[in-house]
Structures are given as structure tokens and as C-alpha cells.
Amino acid sequence: MQADGGLESAHKRRYKNVFDGIIKIVRTEGISQLWRGCGPMIVRSTLITSVQLTTYDMVKRFLVSHYNFHEERVSTYILSSIVTAFAASLVTSPVDVVKTRMMNKQVLYSSAIDCTWKTLKYEGPFGFYKGFLPTFMRLTPHNIILWVTMENVQQALSRYA
């Protein structure tokens, strides 16, 4: 349904709702097509979680030890969160490009690996960073809320432990 906006009128699927979409996909393309793009999505989820968990703590420790940031100040949390969002965007953008292209079912690609090679061949390495800025802009507030909340919850719980 979301991808219809980018398709030519003749190729639009025009699903009425989610259930109509699922039924039509299963009938016309087969049940396996419900999981199209799932492989790259699993890779992306693994990468983003790994990057966020490690980067936040490393950046926070670096700011505290090298730049005399206070360990329990919101400014430390926010700056660490912004750097974490940048790192997560940098690492996940290539997977996002492949995932999006596979989920949009462009006939150009037979698999995620084929999509990766063709993107590299025809667009170069920067082809994997289309949409980097919107990704970064989306992940920045998410990371700030996530990490500031986590730090405050941790501090509150440590007072009662």
C-alpha cells in the first residue's frame, strides 16, 4: 500500500486495506512473497541494535574521559545520542537501500545480493547512501528519547536498589 505511491498508474496494486493486500498477494504472487525483503530487514535490525548499544556507551565514556563531560548530565546523553544516530544511519543506510528496492519488487533484481552488486556497479558506493539524511533525521530524536529515558530510568532505579 505504501509503495503504490511510487508506481506508475498501470502498476499500482490498489489494495483496499491490509487484509485485502495480504489476500491479493497470496493469491497472485504466492505466500512466500509476504516475506519479500525480510532477509535485509533482519540484517538491518541486527546492525542498528548492535551499533546503537555499543556506540552510545563508547561515545559517552569518551566524552566523560577526554572532554570532561559530566557523566550524569542531559547534555552528555544528547550528544552521545546524536553521534549514535549518525553511526547507526551510516551503518544501516546500505541495508535500507537494498531492503527498500527489494520490497518495492523492482524487476531489476533477482535477489538482495544481485541488488547490492548492481547498485555498487551502476551507482558506486554512494548509491547505498540515498536517503541517509532522512534516516539520520528520523533516528536522532528516536535515539535522544531512547537514551535520555534509559539513563533517567537507570538513575531512578539505582536510588531504590
Side-chain angles (χ1 to χ4, degrees):
M1 290 169 44
Q2 186 177 0
D4 264 8
L7 295 174
E8 294 175 20
S9 185
H11 297 288
K12 290 189 183 214
R13 297 172 194 98
R14 294 181 177 83
Y15 303 131
K16 295 175 189 165
N17 55 50
V18 173
F19 302 109
D20 179 56
I22 290 170
I23 292 166
K24 285 182 180 176
I25 290 169
V26 170
R27 285 185 183 156
T28 59
E29 302 176 45
I31 196 164
S32 66
Q33 292 304 299
L34 293 174
W35 286 270
R36 180 177 53 235
C38 191
M41 191 62 192
I42 291 169
V43 171
R44 181 196 185 278
S45 297
T46 303
L47 285 172
I48 198 166
T49 302
S50 302
V51 169
Q52 285 176 324
L53 289 173
T54 56
T55 303
Y56 179 79
D57 282 330
M58 288 174 54
V59 170
K60 185 177 148 195
R61 275 191 256 131
F62 182 80
L63 291 173
V64 169
S65 65
H66 288 77
Y67 291 100
N68 297 323
F69 274 68
H70 191 276
E71 190 169 358
E72 295 182 0
R73 282 224 174 103
V74 174
S75 58
T76 306
Y77 308 153
I78 290 174
L79 185 54
S80 299
S81 298
I82 293 168
V83 174
T84 298
F86 183 83
S89 300
L90 194 66
V91 170
T92 60
S93 281
V95 180
D96 281 339
V97 167
V98 172
K99 172 189 68 87
T100 301
R101 291 178 181 188
M102 293 303 297
M103 291 176 86
N104 286 340
K105 194 179 179 183
Q106 295 181 3
V107 185
L108 304 168
Y109 313 112
S110 59
S111 68
I113 293 171
D114 181 51
C115 179
T116 301
W117 286 118
K118 285 181 178 174
T119 301
L120 186 60
K121 181 179 178 181
Y122 297 112
E123 300 174 50
F126 292 112
F128 292 109
Y129 291 93
K130 290 183 176 181
F132 175 84
L133 188 58
T135 299
F136 176 62
M137 297 304 289
R138 182 177 47 84
L139 287 178
T140 299
H142 165 81
N143 273 275
I144 291 170
I145 293 167
L146 170 73
W147 295 113
V148 170
T149 302
M150 189 274 307
E151 293 285 0
N152 285 311
V153 168
Q154 245 181 352
Q155 287 173 14
L157 291 174
S158 68
R159 278 186 242 137
Y160 297 107

